[in-house]
Amino acid sequence: MTNATRNRRICFPITSRAYYGRSQLLIKKLHQHPGVDLELMLGGSVLLDKYSSHVADDIKAGGFAISASLFNVIEGGNHVAMAKTACLTALEVTNTLYTADPDVVVICGDRFEQLAIAMAAAYLNKTIAHIEGGDVTGSIDESVRHAITKLAHIHFVTNDDARRRVLAMGEDPAYVFNTGSLDVERVACSVDNGIDITTTELSAYGVGHDVDVTKPFLTVIQHPVTTESDNRTHLEATFRALAALDMPIVWFWPNPDAGTGEMAEVLRHFREHHEAATGKMRFITNVPADHFIALMKRTACVVGNSSAGIKECSFLGTPVVDIGGRQQGRLSAENVVRAPYDTAAIRDAVTRQLAHGRYAPSHIYFKPDTSQAMVDVLTAIDLYTQKRFHEVS
Amino acid sequence: MTNATRNRRICFPITSRAYYGRSQLLIKKLHQHPGVDLELMLGGSVLLDKYSSHVADDIKAGGFAISASLFNVIEGGNHVAMAKTACLTALEVTNTLYTADPDVVVICGDRFEQLAIAMAAAYLNKTIAHIEGGDVTGSIDESVRHAITKLAHIHFVTNDDARRRVLAMGEDPAYVFNTGSLDVERVACSVDNGIDITTTELSAYGVGHDVDVTKPFLTVIQHPVTTESDNRTHLEATFRALAALDMPIVWFWPNPDAGTGEMAEVLRHFREHHEAATGKMRFITNVPADHFIALMKRTACVVGNSSAGIKECSFLGTPVVDIGGRQQGRLSAENVVRAPYDTAAIRDAVTRQLAHGRYAPSHIYFKPDTSQAMVDVLTAIDLYTQKRFHEVS
Amino acid sequence: MTNATRNRRICFPITSRAYYGRSQLLIKKLHQHPGVDLELMLGGSVLLDKYSSHVADDIKAGGFAISASLFNVIEGGNHVAMAKTACLTALEVTNTLYTADPDVVVICGDRFEQLAIAMAAAYLNKTIAHIEGGDVTGSIDESVRHAITKLAHIHFVTNDDARRRVLAMGEDPAYVFNTGSLDVERVACSVDNGIDITTTELSAYGVGHDVDVTKPFLTVIQHPVTTESDNRTHLEATFRALAALDMPIVWFWPNPDAGTGEMAEVLRHFREHHEAATGKMRFITNVPADHFIALMKRTACVVGNSSAGIKECSFLGTPVVDIGGRQQGRLSAENVVRAPYDTAAIRDAVTRQLAHGRYAPSHIYFKPDTSQAMVDVLTAIDLYTQKRFHEVS
Amino acid sequence: MTNATRNRRICFPITSRAYYGRSQLLIKKLHQHPGVDLELMLGGSVLLDKYSSHVADDIKAGGFAISASLFNVIEGGNHVAMAKTACLTALEVTNTLYTADPDVVVICGDRFEQLAIAMAAAYLNKTIAHIEGGDVTGSIDESVRHAITKLAHIHFVTNDDARRRVLAMGEDPAYVFNTGSLDVERVACSVDNGIDITTTELSAYGVGHDVDVTKPFLTVIQHPVTTESDNRTHLEATFRALAALDMPIVWFWPNPDAGTGEMAEVLRHFREHHEAATGKMRFITNVPADHFIALMKRTACVVGNSSAGIKECSFLGTPVVDIGGRQQGRLSAENVVRAPYDTAAIRDAVTRQLAHGRYAPSHIYFKPDTSQAMVDVLTAIDLYTQKRFHEVS
């Protein structure tokens, strides 16, 4: 079948709230492009109320075509549940991709289920576009990201170091584009629009105590590191360090990766049994992207191991204490201070960052018009499926 | 749990007859090693009578521990069936690996289901050893092989070019070993043992006419190329070219990859409707490794796109006509002549190879004691799970 | 959502060629009904070329909406493959039913995957209509049929004995309808249309030797009995009995139930190694419904264990030798002679039937307008989901 | 293989904490029987920390053989998640049963995943023993229970009404045994042992406020009714009725069936936003069987729709207010008062039950030595797999 006689069909799987937030600009532009038939595929935590019901609502409101809504998160919060979730996802995505028959499948980032989707797409002989390859980090994400690169045909990287690594891995230079980070474009866009969050708006999310956003507060985002076995004690170290500072805290619930079960237990335990220590904390599973960015902009310091600390906060100049191995090796600006899993070290690092205050914005992850550049490539580039290893001479 | 107090547990998934054949020496040595608890996991075509019932028998006779026998081949012989087979395999392997709890999972080569198994093992935080990474070829195998490399922790490559590529992809040099090819070690071993095949023995396999192994005969092994859509016409080109030569032929049934359905139809059609053309042909799904090697040694020319033509036959000096894109880019010795999917070109290439006769043996894929070198690494090397990208300076 | 404002949505899963043949009249009438939105769901052997590619073609030509095409047959031909096929079917059907959101799911007969589909539909709180409940037979079909009855809400039975049993099992008399057999209505319809088959037409199907349909010939349809372990010897008994009669035979390939692997081997073995005995045999996997009926009408005797012998042939008056336990207990007319798995007994029974010749037609499974009666119920009856046990007083 | 030369192999799948509690006596006796090889298979909520981590601990302590631990609960708490959980369970159980190769699989009750297991066992040609068939209730349980009956070969019913229905459904009278209820035997056993619970012990479970067990308190166990769409409002009616009574309450978290998501939201909402109303409530997911029975014995009234209210409480004489359709039609003693989903009606019914106080014990579900009677049957009865419909004359 020739593609000349039909629109280019692009399938975009969305499996977590974070992916939806960062991809909104791209999805919207693809949806509006006259030469594109866009289909979303929903799965993973996006469909589960407790994490992100508003995402499904947003998507419906946007008028997007949805080719499938796949409930495929297996309970357990451990490695076996994570692995089976990925496999079940791949199995069901295969059916959906087979029916939808897209020309291109867009894979984002490095979450474990995205590799499974990429695998299904590769076996179905689809062209795969990958966003955010070439970075280096810790956790299973490190393996997953590069394995996706080796299945993908079109690469959108966020920085020059990443581009160099993707080329070293044998990818065709004509298909590797440094377009900057979608997350950071999203941040720039929100900042331009003067978007903000009020204390009342914040109090509508999650449970716990109100946090006054006009006064200094910390934000914690600490996810499991799947390749480590002591996520419980690691989170306890952070908790103890911050409780000692006695500041208001917005604490984000961990992602549903392996280890999330133990971390959730730690948080629940502290909430039930340490009322004094949690007396200034608000626990939140999720907020829409604009409010998330507003929080990143207002907070005195981001603590934990989220990539938002490295990427979004570099652009915003927000001080960050990055803990442990999850972001290990990732390109970062001067706003980031690293700390090991140690209560005293974390407390000291946060204290120093609070003393320093905001940093000058960095553009290491920013290029203007990121999403438009992606649309231009996705709609115009020649598609291929048979990969060849390009050796860097 | 410390590994000091227990044997190193190694899990070896076997999902095709070819993998069993090439791995026999390694499996046997691991099984006999006092510091290793070896568990085999059987799945894929190995369990299906029509392809390889003798493998299961061999394994039982060998006294190996079998942690699971997984029926997971989905019928269809097309891309969607292949993709779903891989996903189902991964799902079930997850359960098995979770229960067996190995220290190391050994992944072989580049078949599609091996990536699925590697993915499951990676998510379960197991150390993965990969055999035969770094080669370049065509078909989906090219993507699968390198994606496995990026999930694996220990790499056994078969040649120096492959080692260079694995390092370029960011793997730790201390964990990349050029041990030569297991297939070729197996060939060398059989040759040393003087193993052969008689016409009577050959006639016990498959259907069709007897082929006298003491006279010149061709051997055809042409598998589907999953990234191409015209496997049917490609096989017809080969058939027409060889029918014109009017020689006895041993024709191996294609692998159960996507496209196998159409190719099987072509063969069945020729058998039913072109009795004259198939009057000197024998169609075989499978023979045990020793007899396969004996055939490779005796045949006047191997035609098709099997890696056996490139690897095993390089050592044996058997003339090979390699057709189309499946082995594209793979390191080959002078015994290999390439031909496109064109009846005349294939016929001419075979004619030239028959005129040339046997070649001098090549050692590009051979090192002595391949399997022992692997055992030495697998039993002694420090195991790790958190990968880091090693940039080649 | 109220159903008043929309058409009644009916989902019809088709998982075997036989179901498509027997359901054609019903599907067509539902498709044409202005108050019905009909969606077909294809799976199982219907999608696999080697069994029934023409069915998919027919369906496309009919302009039906197809909500999913699910490749879900797991290779093996044994119990574990059958069980996993059913489970995988149910898993995938759940996704499809969830998206299609039908009001009614129509389940046919007693094939193993239909119970899996019924289970998925029941858990999704759909109203289930079941066709052909209440019969008694052997094989796993006996369990499956009644288990479906206990999940179903609307029952279309084919005879009064079946109605009595469905009521005894606690079903609501207001929802149990004896509409006669769809298969037999289909036969009556073909007979009215004077449909026939020629030798040339028959020779276009399958492999083997031509069978002259204008002269006496036997038709064999012997499927595996899943609850028996000796399907191989049972088929050999039939083969030996019929080979001794030296008549032309149209031999249908067995269904892909557990045991089919061994039975297929038996047939392949006889074809390869007993050329004399198979010299008048034609082996066919499938013919379209009209030609099947024409064969049933022309054949001198049907041998085996197909329900077609009991149902279709009762209406046609065709002599039948029913072998073994598969149809045990099923209501039958005088055209049926039973035989055990014994070569001599089978040969004698066939000889007697050939001597007797055709029987008078029986209407035990026939009512006029079967499919229209079903449409009337499906479009008008009040739907419910909460079942209650109705005790027969 | 003949069974004469080996122990009878019995496989017992445990997929919920309730099944473990009620089956403890039976499992223990089977485990100790010299002629039995017992294998447990764990799945469903039993493996998930938040519901029942202690069960896994108990099982390990008991020295049982565990053939598989299957994580197979799909998140969502809705119909599609429930259906897919069942299908995935069946898929994985098939592998496990295939490897374990038991003679008998014991299926308990009517939870949705048990039908999936029964289906897998039936397709694998195993003999199935079913505990608690023949009862009538509401919810999907009603369909599931009877469908299991039609797949099962040996039936242990708990009362004579149930026996009559199982026979009406066509089961063989020689294989239907009224052994009384395992739950009630468990209660009788605990009562004989004088088992009790203290306030301190109770306060170790769950979250919320302490409940003094020496003073009158209510116990609420209200599960979703999968065939109803308004579980949210139904639970709110109960909540409002009981909040008005201002009594201490032990409130059990709902089962993870379809609808559980909405019900959990209701409870979380009340806990966060109605502190006054929940100021005397303790929310518990699970307690070990002995403590559960002690609570049933001490509580002033059980409110909700649990079968424990009907069965265990009949023996204990505990007043029960049974709400809505879940237990509709189930045989009950005079201790049970029914109420619709209506705040006033529920409040009135509870008030009346509190005024009445305890009832005389009833033995409608009790027979002595229930578990021993089951062991006697399971170890001695002739096993069969081919079912036949026994018509009641």
Side-chain angles (χ1 to χ4, degrees), chain C residues 45-58 286:
Chain C
S45 58
V46 160
L47 294 175
L48 301 175
D49 278 0
K50 68 183 178 192
Y51 291 117
S52 50
S53 61
H54 78 278
V55 173
D57 296 341
D58 267 25
N286 186 23

Side-chain angles (χ1 to χ4, degrees), chain A residues 40-60:
Chain A
L40 304 185
M41 193 172 7
L42 307 185
S45 59
V46 161
L47 294 175
L48 301 175
D49 277 359
K50 67 183 179 193
Y51 292 116
S52 49
S53 60
H54 78 277
V55 173
D57 295 341
D58 268 25
I59 289 170
K60 271 176 215 150

Side-chain angles (χ1 to χ4, degrees), chain C residues 96-117:
Chain C
T96 304
L97 289 180
Y98 175 69
T99 303
D101 193 25
D103 301 301
V104 183
V105 179
V106 182
I107 301 292
C108 286
D110 47 31
R111 276 189 57 80
F112 63 95
E113 73 272 15
Q114 295 279 321
L115 173 58
I117 298 172

Side-chain angles (χ1 to χ4, degrees), chain D residues 334-350:
Chain D
E334 57 169 355
N335 68 310
V336 177
V337 169
R338 310 271 176 182
Y341 299 116
D342 178 86
T343 301
I346 295 168
R347 194 190 52 222
D348 292 352
V350 175

Side-chain angles (χ1 to χ4, degrees), chain B residues 337-351:
Chain B
V337 169
R338 309 270 177 184
Y341 298 117
D342 177 87
T343 300
I346 294 168
R347 193 190 52 221
D348 291 352
V350 175
T351 305

